[in-house]
Amino acid sequence: GSQHGTYLSFKSEILMITKEDSLLVKPFQKPKQVKVTHRQFAAEEWDREEARKRRFHLISMDAYSRHRKLVNDYILYYGGKMEDFRRSGENDKTDLDVIRENHRFLWREDDEADMNWEKRLAKKYYDKLFKEYCIADLSRYKENKFGFRWRHEKEVISGKGHFSCGNKHCEGEEGLKSWEVNFGYVEHGEKRNALVKLRLCPECSYKLNFHHR
C-alpha cells in the first residue's frame, strides 16, 4: 500500500544519487584511499598540542600563581618540601614605602643626579602633585611645629586648600586669607627652607601665627 510506495520512492532517490556520483568520476580515476596516520607522527602532534596548551595556561596565570605551580611541579617530580622554597619577606616594600623613603618636599638638580628606580618612582609621584597651595597639619601649633605637604589631584578638584581651609582638619570656607610661610624642615639629614602658600580660615590663621602675635 502506501508504505510500499514510500519505500519505492526512497529507493529511487538512492539510485539517482548513486548514478550522479558515478557520472562525476573521471575515466580511469583510481579509487580514493584513506591514508592512515603513522602512530609516531600522531603521538608527536599530540605532544605538541599538549605543550601549546600548557604554555597558554602558564602565560594566563599571574606571576605568583605561576611561581607556585612551578614549585609544586618541582616538588612532585624531584621531591623536597615547600618550606625549602619560602622566602623571607622582611625586606619587602610597597611602592608607597619606596615613595616615603625617597620623598622630597622640593626636588633640586642635585637630588636628580644618579637616580635609581626608587628615586625615579618618588620623582614621578612628586611631578603629579600641585605645588601652588599647601595642606597644613596645625594639630601641634602650640609646640610651634607644623606639617606641610602639596595637594594631590582630588584636593585640587574639590577646592581643598584653595576655596576651603588648607588645614587638613578643617573644612571652613568663610573669611579665608592667604599666607606665605618660610617652611624650615630637615630632609634626609639636610636642613632646607621653602616658601609655601596657605589659604586658612580665621581660626586656623590664629593657630599658624600663635607664636608671632
Side-chain angles (χ1 to χ4, degrees):
S2 59
Q3 292 181 355
H4 183 66
T6 304
Y7 172 74
L8 290 175
S9 174
F10 179 67
K11 186 175 182 181
S12 63
E13 288 180 6
I14 294 174
L15 292 172
M16 189 179 296
I17 293 170
T18 306
K19 187 176 180 182
E20 288 179 357
D21 289 343
S22 64
L23 290 173
L24 295 174
V25 178
K26 297 177 182 178
F28 310 108
Q29 181 177 344
K30 294 182 180 179
K32 292 182 179 179
Q33 294 181 356
V34 179
K35 187 176 180 180
V36 179
T37 305
H38 195 278
R39 182 180 297 175
Q40 183 179 353
F41 177 78
E44 290 174 355
E45 284 297 309
W46 186 86
D47 288 342
R48 190 177 292 109
E49 180 65 17
E50 284 298 306
R52 187 187 68 80
K53 289 179 181 178
R54 284 196 295 270
R55 282 197 302 273
F56 179 79
H57 181 61
L58 282 172
I59 291 170
S60 64
M61 288 180 172
D62 60 84
Y64 181 68
S65 298
R66 187 162 50 244
H67 166 75
R68 283 188 62 86
K69 174 176 170 46
L70 293 173
V71 169
N72 288 330
D73 289 349
Y74 182 91
I75 293 173
L76 177 64
Y77 294 124
Y78 300 104
K81 296 179 295 183
M82 182 62 75
E83 288 75 14
D84 299 334
F85 294 90
R86 289 211 173 101
R87 53 182 292 277
S88 172
E90 293 179 0
N91 298 320
D92 288 357
K93 296 177 185 177
T94 65
D95 286 354
L96 187 57
D97 294 331
V98 172
I99 289 171
R100 283 172 177 162
E101 289 180 7
N102 294 273
H103 172 71
R104 298 284 190 280
F105 187 76
L106 287 173
W107 282 78
R108 302 173 181 173
E109 289 185 6
D110 54 343
D111 294 328
E112 299 182 41
D114 302 324
M115 299 221 358
N116 53 22
W117 75 269
E118 291 95 341
K119 284 187 177 181
R120 284 196 297 270
L121 182 63
K123 180 65 166 59
K124 189 176 181 180
Y125 175 79
Y126 170 82
D127 290 339
K128 289 183 178 179
L129 299 175
F130 294 81
K131 294 166 281 293
E132 183 180 6
Y133 293 104
C134 274
I135 300 296
D137 184 349
L138 307 179
S139 59
R140 300 174 66 180
Y141 72 95
K142 289 185 179 179
E143 302 174 44
N144 199 24
K145 292 181 179 180
F146 306 93
F148 296 100
R149 66 168 175 79
W150 301 114
R151 297 187 299 164
H152 52 68
E153 186 177 10
K154 287 183 179 179
E155 291 169 332
V156 172
I157 292 172
S158 67
K160 175 66 175 172
H162 187 186
F163 301 110
S164 64
C165 183
N167 180 3
K168 66 181 270 188
H169 301 296
C170 178
E171 298 296 332
E173 296 181 355
E174 300 297 327
L176 298 181
K177 187 174 182 180
S178 295
W179 297 92
E180 190 172 64
V181 181
N182 182 19
F183 177 39
Y185 59 100
V186 176
E187 190 174 72
H188 300 282
E190 180 184 351
K191 185 169 177 57
R192 295 187 175 189
N193 288 276
L195 282 175
V196 298
K197 287 195 295 183
L198 282 171
R199 292 274 289 165
L200 299 175
C201 69
E203 184 179 349
C204 294
S205 294
Y206 169 80
K207 292 178 180 179
L208 179 70
N209 295 284
F210 182 77
H211 291 273
H212 304 283
R213 285 175 294 176

